[in-house]
Amino acid sequence: MKIASSPTQYLSLLCLSIILIISSTEEPPGAGEGAGHEHERDCDVGGSITSISRPSSTMSPSKSSDEICSLYLAPSSIPNAGYGIYTTKPFKRYDEIISSGAASVIIPDLDRNQPPGTDYSGESILGFSVFDYLWQSYGAGCYEGKHSHDWEPTSLGSLANYHPYLVNYAHHGNHHRYDDTMTSRFADPGAGAFSYHNSFAMGASRDIEAGEELFADYGEGYLDSRSHEEVYRAIPRENDFDLAATIAATIAGEPRVPTATSIIKRVVKLLSNERIAALLPDDPSAYAEYRNMTSEQIAFHLAWRTVQRRSIDWIIENGKCLDNIDVRRSTIPQAGRGAFASRRIPKGEMIVPATLVHIADRNTLKMYNFTTQHDSGKQARIEEEMIGMQMLLNYCFGHGESTVLLCPTTSSSAINHCSTRTISAGQCGEDGPNAAYRLPEDWSPETKEWLQLSFEELRRHDRRGIVLEVYATRDIEVGDEIFFDYGAGWERSWQDHVAKWSSPGRQSPFATYAPVTEMNENKAPLRSRAELEANPYPPNVVTGCYYTEENEESDYEFWDEGDDWKKLSDEMILKYFSDNGEDFTWYETLSYPRYWPCDIISGNDEEGYLVQIFQLTQEEETAWTKKGVPMFLTNFPRESIRFFNRVGTSDQYLPGAFRHHIELSDDIFPEQWKNLKEVEISS
């Protein structure tokens, strides 16, 4: 039987049922006729979140804010969620929490590089737990592949947990997050060995109190796509909190607060869902404090009930500092970014924890040339044309006798190599490295358990479980670059790479290259489609326009798919298939800038441009793409047009670009994971 046909009808029926239950119960002692009626029978589920109400928490730091670390790794406030990130200082909305100087490793076309028959979602790649810690690429990252993902360990974007209602930690816009001038493919053996992409800055998406856990917004699709598992299906969604708040407000608004809350919860389960019922308090007296709250405040209060509040003293006692490191350009040439001490670190002290996620088979990082399949139209890898390995390999721990990789999700990934075997440039001198790694002694029991797993058991796990400690082997002063030894095998491989390296030959498709960073900084002149026929950009260069799609299929109902729009006059094309583009202006706090492929048709910097937008493969197919018609934008601002690398032309794709894992010592790497003792593997 269909009880109701819409959420509003469900809620109305719930409210009516609750009121009937309340009216049938006896008035509890102390409940007077003068009780507040602000939310009486309030079944309006609309409105925006304007204020926050949360349970109080004991937060009395024993040290001044200047002396203590501000970001900590500690057991999450969400039960059974592993570790989370906590802040020991408050932030206002839009405050920057982590700057954008860190590296973001782009993983292009993970789906297309897998064997035929692999689920294109990527999640079915057995033993590839990294997939759950990736972000969809934005900005320049979109142009590294047809479908690209970001690995953002140093911004901690891959470490934060998700709470559908308490999200407070988000990417902040960073226009200039790509720098391909860090090396030259024509002069430097290190070209393509490290990421030129900056991670997004991370900031506060709402006011944050000291002691809160930082929650990133995965999107509810993350939960919905895993709803076949009970643990994800049971997690309340944002709308569940709003509906539960309205029900709680209805109960609180009655002059006689019911004692039969268990009956109400059963009604909620029958008419709505168990997630909402689970959010409602069992204790009737709990509803009294809701009488003077708005529905939005009640929703936040219900959300705070789902987590365990922590004091600053608890965080300091149980947590491990995450912000002992600043990330900026390394003192070692061709090493990209490096890790620098943000405060003095005494010998023996931990610098940063390295939480690790595993890739059971490094062969999933192989990259290939592609061909289009005739039957499906999909692109598939050409087995005989492997072109290299994903850059992610260079950021992960591994062992020469195993396919297993362990990839850090903290700023430990910014630490560069240094050894006493070879005197390097920069701050890595005769004294050698000032740091090393070790297993945690007493704070991560999961690590010891995971290191006992068999290789097959490891493959079946889809979360992180292993932690290393990076610690100081001598006193490290503020501003010192931090180094540890990547291993003798890594060092030999790098030296061999340097000795054999040569720049791309004249016949190579990589022989001509113009750094797009310089073109953007110098605001290189834009060329129209007609001008490009006679004077093309360098072969690596394409243009992208900042754009957000708002059109719906109903906007194109007038157009017959069999018609040819190219037969229309220019005037009619713009009448039917163009929008005003003057509002598509990039701004500093833009969280997720998407630049869609575009052609310049005409115009100038002062008056704006006429541009044609093309489907961005990272986005869902647009209404105009489905209809087979164009999308033009008039009056488009110059500042929203940028130069990008054409897919497959960046240094990440250079033939022979250096690739080698960071070597994990035998005393740590489990013997049972060494599945390639007799087999030579790709390094």
Side-chain angles (χ1 to χ4, degrees):
M1 180 178 69
K2 189 174 184 180
I3 299 175
S5 60
S6 72
T8 302
Q9 289 177 339
Y10 267 123
L11 191 53
S12 299
L13 190 53
L14 279 170
C15 289
L16 178 60
S17 301
I18 291 166
I19 293 166
L20 290 173
I21 293 171
I22 291 172
S23 63
S24 67
T25 59
E26 291 187 3
E27 181 178 309
E33 294 298 325
H37 290 267
E38 182 182 349
H39 304 289
E40 183 176 3
R41 297 182 174 89
D42 178 9
C43 293
D44 180 11
V45 298
S48 60
I49 297 169
T50 56
S51 58
I52 301 172
S53 176
R54 64 197 71 183
S56 60
S57 175
T58 302
M59 296 182 181
S60 53
S62 55
K63 299 181 181 180
S64 73
S65 59
D66 293 333
E67 294 176 317
I68 65 173
C69 174
S70 63
L71 294 175
Y72 282 85
L73 177 76
S76 176
S77 60
I78 300 176
N80 304 314
Y83 291 100
I85 311 171
Y86 291 86
T87 174
T88 57
K89 71 176 186 179
F91 292 95
K92 291 292 185 182
R93 188 180 184 187
Y94 300 130
D95 281 354
E96 186 174 87
I97 299 175
I98 296 177
S99 67
S100 62
S104 174
V105 182
I106 306 298
I107 306 176
D109 297 321
L110 178 63
D111 48 9
R112 295 194 300 160
N113 278 294
Q114 302 313 308
T118 302
D119 183 351
Y120 271 59
S121 70
E123 295 178 35
S124 68
I125 302 173
L126 192 61
F128 196 87
S129 66
V130 168
F131 192 86
D132 276 349
Y133 299 89
L134 300 179
W135 293 89
Q136 198 170 26
S137 292
Y138 293 88
C142 291
Y143 289 82
E144 291 285 9
K146 295 292 186 183
H147 296 92
S148 299
H149 293 86
D150 284 18
W151 174 251
E152 297 192 359
T154 44
S155 72
L156 304 182
S158 300
L159 190 57
N161 285 316
Y162 171 48
H163 190 292
Y165 212 84
L166 298 179
V167 168
N168 55 12
Y169 186 60
H171 290 97
H172 275 206
N174 180 13
H175 204 190
H176 309 285
R177 54 185 310 258
Y178 181 74
D179 185 0
D180 57 352
T181 64
M182 299 179 78
T183 59
S184 168
R185 65 175 61 180
F186 305 111
D188 299 323
F194 60 87
S195 178
Y196 302 159
H197 295 265
N198 277 4
S199 64
F200 277 104
M202 301 297 289
S205 58
R206 59 170 172 81
D207 290 353
I208 301 175
E209 288 187 0
E212 282 196 50
E213 181 173 354
L214 300 182
F215 294 116
D217 189 357
Y218 295 7
E220 291 190 358
Y222 175 87
L223 302 176
D224 295 340
S225 65
R226 294 160 174 79
S227 59
H228 56 281
E229 299 181 43
E230 173 59 29
V231 64
Y232 292 105
R233 192 164 58 249
I235 295 174
R237 284 22 174 198
E238 181 178 2
N239 192 53
D240 294 332
F241 287 99
D242 289 331
L243 293 176
T246 303
I247 294 169
T250 301
I251 297 172
E254 286 298 314
R256 295 181 300 167
V257 178
T259 56
T261 52
S262 60
I263 299 176
I264 291 174
K265 295 184 76 167
R266 285 200 294 271
V267 172
V268 173
K269 285 183 181 181
L270 285 172
L271 299 182
S272 185
N273 66 49
E274 294 188 6
R275 296 199 301 254
I276 296 175
L279 294 174
L280 296 172
D282 292 311
D283 184 0
S285 64
Y287 293 88
E289 64 180 309
Y290 296 155
R291 289 176 179 170
N292 296 317
M293 292 185 187
T294 65
S295 291
E296 290 81 10
Q297 289 174 321
I298 295 173
F300 262 102
H301 193 277
L302 294 174
W304 286 114
R305 285 165 46 87
T306 65
V307 299
Q308 300 168 347
R309 297 289 284 157
R310 313 293 198 188
S311 70
I312 291 179
D313 287 338
W314 183 94
I315 294 169
I316 294 172
E317 182 180 352
N318 295 277
K320 306 300 175 185
C321 185
L322 289 170
D323 66 0
N324 283 327
I325 286 176
D326 289 330
V327 180
R328 56 181 184 267
R329 191 71 174 265
S330 175
T331 61
I332 297 179
Q334 301 182 49
R337 299 166 186 83
F340 295 81
S342 61
R343 55 178 59 89
R344 187 177 186 276
I345 306 169
K347 178 180 178 180
E349 290 293 311
M350 183 168 64
I351 301 169
V352 64
T355 51
L356 306 173
V357 296
H358 67 279
I359 299 173
D361 186 359
R362 70 178 63 199
N363 289 310
T364 58
L365 298 185
K366 288 181 177 179
M367 300 172 68
Y368 295 83
N369 283 324
F370 302 111
T371 184
T372 301
Q373 297 175 321
H374 295 294
D375 52 347
S376 66
K378 294 182 178 180
Q379 288 194 314
R381 71 186 195 182
I382 304 174
E383 296 292 335
E384 304 79 23
E385 297 185 20
M386 177 184 164
I387 61 174
M389 297 286 284
Q390 298 274 8
M391 185 184 289
L392 179 63
L393 175 68
N394 289 1
Y395 291 81
C396 300
F397 290 94
H399 193 284
E401 296 178 345
S402 175
T403 61
V404 174
L405 296 172
L406 301 171
C407 307
T409 59
T410 68
S411 55
S412 60
S413 64
I415 299 174
N416 282 315
H417 167 74
C418 176
S419 81
T420 55
R421 294 180 296 272
T422 303
I423 299 177
S424 300
Q427 289 187 12
C428 174
E430 295 182 358
D431 293 335
N434 53 10
Y437 56 83
R438 65 193 177 197
L439 292 173
E441 289 187 8
D442 55 3
W443 63 274
S444 178
E446 299 89 354
T447 294
K448 292 181 180 179
E449 295 171 4
W450 274 62
L451 293 176
Q452 299 301 315
L453 296 175
S454 69
F455 175 76
E456 286 302 320
E457 289 172 330
L458 180 71
R459 289 180 77 230
R460 291 194 290 271
H461 275 291
D462 60 356
R463 59 183 180 85
R464 65 173 177 254
I466 302 174
V467 181
L468 294 177
E469 292 181 357
V470 179
Y471 68 98
T473 55
R474 59 176 182 268
D475 290 348
I476 299 175
E477 303 300 329
V478 176
D480 286 354
E481 185 167 5
I482 300 167
F483 303 98
F484 63 68
D485 190 344
Y486 282 15
W490 183 96
E491 194 168 87
R492 286 192 300 271
S493 181
W494 169 250
Q495 292 168 346
D496 185 58
H497 170 77
V498 172
K500 295 178 179 178
W501 179 85
S502 62
S503 62
R506 290 185 177 180
Q507 302 304 314
S508 168
F510 295 90
T512 302
Y513 185 83
V516 294
T517 299
E518 290 182 350
M519 294 182 68
N520 285 318
E521 289 179 350
N522 298 330
K523 229 171 186 183
L526 297 172
R527 299 172 191 170
S528 69
R529 186 183 290 168
E531 291 171 334
L532 286 174
E533 293 182 5
N535 185 22
Y537 294 128
N540 65 294
V541 177
V542 295
T543 47
C545 295
Y546 168 62
Y547 177 69
T548 55
E549 171 61 17
E550 298 176 354
N551 292 285
E552 300 178 359
E553 290 190 45
S554 59
D555 296 333
Y556 297 94
E557 288 179 349
F558 69 91
W559 187 255
D560 235 344
E561 291 187 27
D563 293 342
D564 186 357
W565 63 269
K566 295 180 181 178
K567 294 181 179 179
L568 298 175
S569 67
D570 290 349
E571 181 181 359
M572 295 304 291
I573 290 174
L574 293 181
K575 177 181 178 180
Y576 291 134
F577 307 119
S578 74
D579 286 333
N580 188 341
E582 63 183 357
D583 291 332
F584 290 105
T585 303
W586 180 90
Y587 51 93
E588 187 65 33
T589 58
L590 189 66
S591 293
Y592 300 104
R594 282 295 178 99
Y595 287 86
W596 294 51
C598 64
D599 282 351
I600 312 302
I601 307 302
S602 61
N604 56 64
D605 289 2
E606 290 72 30
E607 298 176 358
Y609 289 86
L610 172 63
V611 301
Q612 182 177 357
I613 303 290
F614 299 95
Q615 177 70 52
L616 180 64
T617 55
Q618 305 266 11
E619 292 282 3
E620 292 185 11
E621 195 173 57
T622 64
W624 39 271
T625 299
K626 292 176 181 177
K627 276 285 188 177
V629 296
M631 169 54 70
F632 292 94
L633 297 175
T634 61
N635 308 309
F636 199 80
R638 173 63 179 88
E639 61 265 29
S640 295
I641 305 173
R642 293 183 64 78
F643 296 103
F644 296 96
N645 279 318
R646 190 182 304 275
V647 172
T649 64
S650 73
D651 285 358
Q652 178 156 330
Y653 290 89
L654 284 173
F658 180 71
R659 295 288 184 269
H660 201 287
H661 62 266
I662 302 167
E663 296 181 337
L664 197 59
S665 59
D666 276 315
D667 61 327
I668 292 179
F669 197 89
E671 189 71 24
Q672 69 273 18
W673 295 356
K674 297 177 182 177
N675 58 339
L676 292 177
K677 284 189 173 183
E678 306 299 326
V679 181
E680 182 178 348
I681 65 172
S682 301
S683 61

